Amino acid sequence: MPGTRVTLKDIAKRLGLSMPTVSRALADHPDISAATKERVREVAQALHYIPNYRARYLRAKHSRLIALIVPEMNTFFVPAMIAGINRVVQQNDYSLIVFQSDNSIVQERRLVEYCTHLSADGVLIVLSSETSDLAHLETLREVGIPVVLLDKTIETTRHSTVTIDDQEVGREAANYLIERGHTRSVGIFGDQRQRISSLRLKGFKRAHAEQGIPLAESQVLRITMLDELGEQLEQAFARHPDLTAIFTMTDELLVFTHHLLMRRGTRIPEEVSLLAISDGLAPTFLHPNVTHLRHSGGEVGERTAHFLIGLIEHNSDAMMDVRIRTTLVELGSVTTRTQRPARR
């Protein structure tokens, strides 16, 4: 009847077969002949049969669902990270469901609780900027759902994390510019509530201190909202007429900084060199192509998914702090300086 869900019993009755035989045929069981499998599939298709995954999951006590919670969907890094996770999830016969916390700890807590109702086999979380503790993740631990934090994390000894060495990459960026004669640079950093931002800034400052290069507070731009960047960048140029390089800690900051430099007529790299931490896609869209420390979203996603699935399938509570290396990609946006050319 229209509106009535077709069951295995309906298919079995239509074919004069037992329900176990129909079930095994649909599961491509080797004990069932090819002819029988074909008959069962034809009838299932004709009746518009939809498998009852909920019942299957309850019997197996596994949903084969992996949940991913992210603060936001943006143009940079996140799509590649999701694609990387999904590749590994599909290869291992799991399904991925993605939730957005809107960068809100309240929503993040709700979504974590919802993952327990879904009986997710595992949870991946990119923390919101409002998240300062991980007490809400104890719900997952209590019901035996492994969780791995990736990319944006906070200090923890109770949960596994997959990141890059954020402090070291900030240090490498500053050293790269200093070694090329850029002793007066500006670093542009994101929301300092996030560990990723504070550590990259810490590394940037550390490199200057180690090399005995002064770094004024006015050379550090802390950006919470993108619309703050234009004014802060103009102030930096005004305060530091000897400025020769700019470092941005993310693709989002890179693209907006590049736009602002183009708008003000600043030549890259003739007047100002530009360096970023990037997933690698945005630098190829900009002119000149931007030298960057490549932080691959796809690699982060794949490594994290492999690790989580390992925890699930081995019923393990092992904890690891995984740091993925970045790679320097030299393109056309950084020059070696001995002196600053005159501005046009």
Side-chain angles (χ1 to χ4, degrees), residues 184-187 201 204-205 208 213-220:
R184 182 71 72 188
S185 61
V186 160
L201 173 54
F204 191 76
K205 288 182 173 181
H208 283 81
I213 305 296
L215 182 71
E217 271 302 304
S218 54
Q219 290 174 248
V220 176

Side-chain angles (χ1 to χ4, degrees), residues 68-72 81 99 101-105 108-109 112 123-137 140 147-156 159-163 191 193-196:
L68 168 65
I69 300 173
V70 296
E72 60 185 353
M81 181 188 72
F99 299 107
S101 70
D102 296 325
N103 223 13
S104 161
I105 180 58
E108 183 177 287
R109 288 171 180 155
V112 165
V123 176
L124 303 172
I125 303 182
V126 181
L127 297 177
S128 79
S129 59
E130 296 182 351
T131 305
S132 58
D133 69 74
L134 303 174
H136 55 302
L137 301 188
L140 298 172
V147 57
V148 179
L149 311 180
L150 68 160
D151 191 41
K152 296 176 182 176
T153 67
I154 61 176
E155 292 289 345
T156 176
H159 302 282
S160 294
T161 58
V162 179
T163 62
D191 192 331
R193 293 177 298 176
Q194 295 182 331
R195 184 168 177 260
I196 185 175

Side-chain angles (χ1 to χ4, degrees), residues 41 128 197 312:
R41 288 170 186 155
S128 79
S197 301
I312 294 169

Side-chain angles (χ1 to χ4, degrees), residues 55-69:
R56 184 184 300 177
Y57 296 157
L58 289 173
R59 288 194 300 272
K61 297 185 178 179
H62 287 286
S63 66
R64 303 206 72 81
L65 280 178
I66 288 176
L68 168 65
I69 300 173

Side-chain angles (χ1 to χ4, degrees), residues 111-242:
L111 290 172
V112 165
E113 183 178 359
Y114 186 55
C115 288
T116 66
H117 300 322
L118 285 176
S119 300
D121 283 347
V123 176
L124 303 172
I125 303 182
V126 181
L127 297 177
S128 79
S129 59
E130 296 182 351
T131 305
S132 58
D133 69 74
L134 303 174
H136 55 302
L137 301 188
E138 292 305 308
T139 302
L140 298 172
R141 290 175 64 93
E142 289 168 5
V143 297
I145 299 176
V147 57
V148 179
L149 311 180
L150 68 160
D151 191 41
K152 296 176 182 176
T153 67
I154 61 176
E155 292 289 345
T156 176
T157 58
R158 293 178 63 80
H159 302 282
S160 294
T161 58
V162 179
T163 62
I164 61 173
D165 190 333
D166 289 298
Q167 182 173 333
E168 182 57 25
V169 77
R171 178 173 173 267
E172 287 178 13
N175 278 330
Y176 180 81
L177 293 175
I178 291 169
E179 288 164 3
R180 281 149 187 80
H182 299 283
T183 56
R184 182 71 72 188
S185 61
V186 160
I188 303 177
F189 299 88
D191 192 331
Q192 289 298 296
R193 293 177 298 176
Q194 295 182 331
R195 184 168 177 260
I196 185 175
S197 301
S198 61
L199 286 178
R200 291 179 187 186
L201 173 54
K202 187 175 181 180
F204 191 76
K205 288 182 173 181
R206 179 183 165 191
H208 283 81
E210 288 172 344
Q211 300 213 34
I213 305 296
L215 182 71
E217 271 302 304
S218 54
Q219 290 174 248
V220 176
L221 310 188
R222 299 171 175 85
I223 307 300
T224 304
M225 303 291 290
L226 272 181
D227 56 11
E228 303 169 346
L229 180 53
E231 182 179 352
Q232 289 197 38
L233 190 59
E234 286 303 320
Q235 290 174 357
F237 274 113
R239 291 170 180 167
H240 304 287
D242 56 346

